[in-house]
Amino acid sequence: MKRIEDFCCAMCSVSIYNIIIALGIIVFVIILNKLLISKIYKIFTYIVSKSNTHIDDSLVKASQKPLKLFILFYGVYQALRIIEFDNLNLNIISTSRLIKLAGVIAMCYFFYNLTLENSILHKSIHNKNDSNGIVFPFVSIIIRIVIVIFAVVIIANEFGFTGFITGLGISGIAFALAAQDTFSNLFGGMVIVLDKPFSIGDWVQTSDIEGVIEEITFRSTKIRTFAEAIVTVPNSKLANSNIINWSQRDKRRIHFKFTLDYSTSIDKINICVQRIEKFLRSNDKIKKEMIIVSFNELSNYGFGIFVYFYTEMMGYEEYEKLKQIVNINILSILREEKVKLFFINFNRLQENILGVNMVDKIEDIGNVTEEEREK
């Protein structure tokens, strides 16, 4: 209350003429910002929009509000000098500190704007390394925090708040210890973003979860499983996991084995193997670098044929359709060559194991009368 009384008394000692001039300067500065500076920036914006680079557009856009703010501060500074504010002994703030404060705030405001959407930072990161828009939020928020801390420290140091800076450092340490998990997730997210083991839309698999990356935030990563459930995994845990990124493959493997009946002749085996390999090499959806069709197993049950190849069909539905086409064509080749596939005769297998004809026993049980069953 006493400060207000002192201020009113000090202002009463200033001449009306000087007060009117000071108010006129402030009004002039406001009108200057509203009309002239805004129109000048519209012209600048139109000129730089014709260039082939986005740097000048970002600089013009980022500097408009900081410049208006500095001009407003400068107008207040000149108004205070007109009324000889420093000679009033109010111990509030000197005009020299005010203009320094204006410069620091305007400069930090300008650099802060360079980290926003559609800025130099945003377009540079997005064009080079951030097609999914993941890197920019992490980088920009770190730069913004540094800018704000830089401005606060300079302003506090200018006003002699050294105790405040020391307290800020101690409080920062205590806060960091209390929010250890949050910071570990934040740095885990930074590792994920910078190392780029996956991107949004990738199919990934860890020791605990498998699914498609749906969202990456500062704290966690959301994965949609193939059961259509959303699993939220902390970034710190995910960054320390072994991650398999199936989407970064340029091809998918298909391999299987089938067994021919042991009565199949050697000539038929050769013909089937050659025809199957010829079909695989003629299919444009199958990569030609590695196609293996081989007679690779002899057993008591039959002759094993091994098929191994790669395809560029990355989608699950396309992948399954190709497997169906391959299976149908192999089956057609076998039937054209009159080659039978091996199958297990469960009746004969039971006879060999148990030494009895289980089917006959079951049929005998079915023919027993009710009276015989009761006995």
Side-chain angles (χ1 to χ4, degrees):
M1 190 69 181
K2 188 176 184 304
R3 283 180 174 270
I4 298 175
E5 292 177 358
D6 293 341
F7 178 77
C8 293
C9 292
M11 291 302 295
C12 290
S13 63
V14 181
S15 67
I16 300 297
Y17 176 75
N18 288 345
I19 293 176
I20 292 174
I21 294 177
L23 292 176
I25 291 174
I26 295 174
V27 172
F28 173 76
V29 167
I30 294 173
I31 295 174
L32 180 69
N33 275 339
K34 190 70 175 178
L35 300 178
L36 184 60
I37 301 299
S38 297
K39 286 185 178 180
I40 291 174
Y41 265 92
K42 283 183 180 179
I43 296 173
F44 282 164
T45 303
Y46 175 76
I47 293 173
V48 298
S49 64
K50 300 296 182 181
S51 64
N52 296 325
T53 178
H54 65 272
I55 297 177
D56 49 5
D57 301 74
S58 299
L59 290 174
V60 169
K61 185 177 180 181
S63 63
Q64 183 175 0
K65 290 183 178 180
L67 180 60
K68 286 183 176 182
L69 182 64
F70 181 78
I71 291 174
L72 180 61
F73 269 102
Y74 188 77
V76 173
Y77 164 73
Q78 291 296 339
L80 293 177
R81 289 190 63 187
I82 292 293
I83 65 175
E84 298 180 349
F85 183 80
D86 292 337
N87 295 329
L88 298 179
N89 296 320
L90 294 176
N91 297 323
I92 299 174
I93 183 173
S94 64
T95 54
S96 59
R97 281 183 174 176
L98 178 65
I99 199 65
K100 289 180 181 178
L101 179 66
V104 171
I105 293 176
M107 187 62 66
C108 292
Y109 193 6
F110 170 71
F111 285 114
Y112 186 92
N113 287 341
L114 291 178
T115 66
L116 300 177
E117 293 286 339
N118 299 318
S119 63
I120 296 175
L121 179 67
H122 177 260
K123 292 183 178 179
S124 299
I125 294 177
H126 183 75
N127 292 339
K128 293 180 180 179
N129 305 311
D130 194 23
S131 58
N132 289 315
I134 304 172
V135 178
F136 172 72
F138 285 87
V139 176
S140 65
I141 196 168
I142 291 173
I143 296 177
R144 291 176 203 175
I145 291 172
V146 171
I147 291 172
V148 172
I149 293 175
F150 178 77
V152 170
V153 169
I154 289 180
I155 294 171
N157 187 59
E158 181 64 29
F159 284 93
F161 296 148
T162 54
F164 171 77
I165 297 174
T166 305
L168 186 65
I170 297 173
S171 300
I173 295 173
F175 178 76
L177 292 174
Q180 186 175 359
D181 291 339
T182 301
F183 280 110
S184 64
N185 288 326
L186 176 61
F187 285 109
M190 290 175 57
V191 170
I192 291 172
V193 166
L194 297 176
D195 193 41
K196 293 191 295 186
F198 52 77
S199 300
I200 293 175
D202 284 358
W203 166 21
V204 300
Q205 180 180 355
T206 68
S207 57
D208 300 321
I209 191 68
E210 180 179 4
V212 177
I213 301 295
E214 193 155 284
E215 185 180 0
I216 303 174
T217 64
F218 296 105
R219 179 190 171 275
S220 61
T221 298
K222 293 182 179 179
I223 302 175
R224 185 173 293 277
T225 66
F226 295 119
E228 291 300 318
I230 287 289
V231 178
T232 302
V233 185
N235 287 332
S236 58
K237 181 179 180 181
L238 196 59
N240 293 320
S241 300
N242 296 324
I243 302 171
I244 301 174
N245 190 330
W246 296 110
S247 296
Q248 289 187 358
R249 300 174 299 175
D250 59 351
K251 55 189 176 182
R252 294 186 69 173
R253 182 180 63 174
I254 298 177
H255 64 104
F256 55 89
K257 182 183 290 186
F258 59 90
T259 305
L260 303 180
D261 190 81
Y262 62 84
S263 62
T264 307
S265 66
I266 296 176
D267 292 337
K268 288 292 184 181
I269 293 174
N270 285 327
I271 292 171
C272 290
V273 168
Q274 292 172 6
R275 288 191 62 183
I276 293 171
E277 183 174 351
K278 183 179 179 181
F279 159 72
L280 295 177
R281 294 191 179 279
S282 65
N283 193 306
D284 57 358
K285 295 179 180 179
I286 295 174
K287 295 182 73 68
K288 307 303 185 291
E289 287 81 359
M290 181 178 289
I291 296 177
I292 300 174
V293 183
S294 65
F295 168 33
N296 74 340
E297 185 177 35
L298 285 170
S299 68
N300 295 330
Y301 304 106
F303 308 131
I305 306 297
F306 178 65
V307 180
Y308 189 101
F309 59 92
Y310 288 93
T311 177
E312 295 177 348
M313 299 293 103
M314 303 305 296
Y316 184 74
E317 186 175 354
E318 296 173 335
Y319 175 76
E320 290 296 325
K321 288 288 185 184
L322 179 61
K323 287 167 65 176
Q324 175 179 297
I325 292 171
V326 171
N327 289 337
I328 289 176
N329 277 272
I330 290 176
L331 189 59
S332 299
I333 291 171
L334 296 180
R335 292 195 174 178
E336 288 172 8
E337 298 298 331
K338 298 180 179 178
V339 173
K340 295 180 180 179
L341 291 170
F342 165 76
F343 68 95
I344 298 176
N345 189 326
F346 286 100
N347 291 337
R348 185 178 300 172
L349 181 64
Q350 288 173 341
E351 289 178 12
N352 294 334
I353 295 175
L354 301 177
V356 293
N357 191 327
M358 297 299 295
V359 176
D360 293 341
K361 289 292 183 182
I362 293 172
E363 290 177 354
D364 291 342
I365 293 173
N367 295 327
V368 174
T369 62
E370 289 292 331
E371 293 179 358
E372 292 175 338
R373 287 177 186 173
E374 291 177 358
K375 292 181 180 179

